[in-house]
Amino acid sequence: MRGAVFFISKYGSTAQYANWISQETGLPLRGVKDTSPVPSDCDFLVVVSPVICQKLLIEGWVRRNLAHMASKPVIMVTVSGAPAGPRLDAWIRDSLPPELVSRMHHVALRGRQNPRVLSWFDRAMLIIGALKNADPVARKEELGGFDFVDKSNIGTVVKLVRALHRTSSVIPLRTGVTKC
């Protein structure tokens, strides 16, 4: 089966994960920001996106290419400060079409956030979000920054891709969330 890694990144940690996934799986890497690739020539997709201001940055590309993704297995990799759980699930449901969310396999990876390199808008939104966060540990991370990026986090994605390579026909992955 032929697949590819489609990604968008804003501050670099998502690009790092996408590069590692591409290197470990041998799948071609396709940045959607610059080239706007169409996934019609793929049997399956690995889609990697940061979560910025509670939205998946790759949302527009997914909606434009949804018809090309309709019958294909999709591994959706999100990169954010939020761990897998109800908050992240809600942000995904708010960002992506329900027909994709219901059948994709989601892998949640923790990212990196350095407040000093954020745009003024992203920094302002981060401060507002942190002030609303009831979790004091998460609030401190949001305001002070964090770095959870580690190559070992991509292990689940690599296993899923290898399982798809072993199949001789297109079969859907089980729907689910994997915490990394």
Side-chain angles (χ1 to χ4, degrees):
M1 293 183 68
R2 294 171 301 146
V5 178
F6 296 87
F7 81 100
I8 191 167
S9 186
K10 188 166 184 179
Y11 293 108
S13 58
T14 304
Q16 181 65 67
Y17 277 129
N19 277 300
W20 284 335
I21 293 166
S22 175
Q23 291 168 2
E24 290 297 313
T25 61
L27 295 177
L29 188 62
R30 298 179 180 173
V32 304
K33 188 175 182 180
D34 302 322
T35 61
S36 195
V38 177
S40 58
D41 61 337
C42 297
D43 298 319
F44 70 92
L45 293 81
V46 178
V47 180
V48 189
S49 177
V51 179
I52 306 284
C53 297
Q54 303 177 356
K55 292 285 186 184
L56 273 70
L57 195 57
I58 206 161
E59 173 185 12
W61 180 86
V62 167
R63 291 186 186 280
R64 286 189 305 276
N65 289 283
L66 190 59
H68 298 290
M69 302 164 70
S71 63
K72 301 172 183 182
V74 176
I75 302 168
M76 177 63 66
V77 180
T78 58
V79 180
S80 71
R87 284 186 345 153
L88 183 56
D89 293 343
W91 300 340
I92 291 168
R93 282 192 309 273
D94 290 345
S95 296
L96 299 176
E99 59 270 30
L100 176 62
V101 174
S102 66
R103 64 178 189 79
M104 69 184 194
H105 188 99
H106 174 227
V107 179
L109 302 179
R110 303 287 305 272
R112 173 185 310 118
Q113 185 259 99
N114 180 348
R116 292 183 305 266
V117 301
L118 298 177
S119 70
W120 69 269
F121 178 81
D122 288 347
R123 179 76 175 132
M125 295 305 291
L126 180 75
I127 291 169
I128 292 167
L131 294 174
K132 291 182 176 183
N133 196 333
D135 180 348
V137 174
R139 184 182 319 116
K140 183 179 178 182
E141 287 177 352
E142 288 173 356
L143 292 172
F146 51 83
D147 187 354
F148 300 110
V149 176
D150 188 307
K151 189 175 183 179
S152 67
N153 293 342
I154 68 167
T156 299
V157 179
V158 172
K159 287 177 187 173
L160 290 168
V161 169
R162 289 183 179 150
L164 285 170
H165 273 299
R166 287 192 298 269
T167 62
S168 58
S169 62
V170 177
I171 58 169
L173 291 169
R174 68 171 181 80
T175 301
V177 176
T178 305
K179 301 175 187 180
C180 294

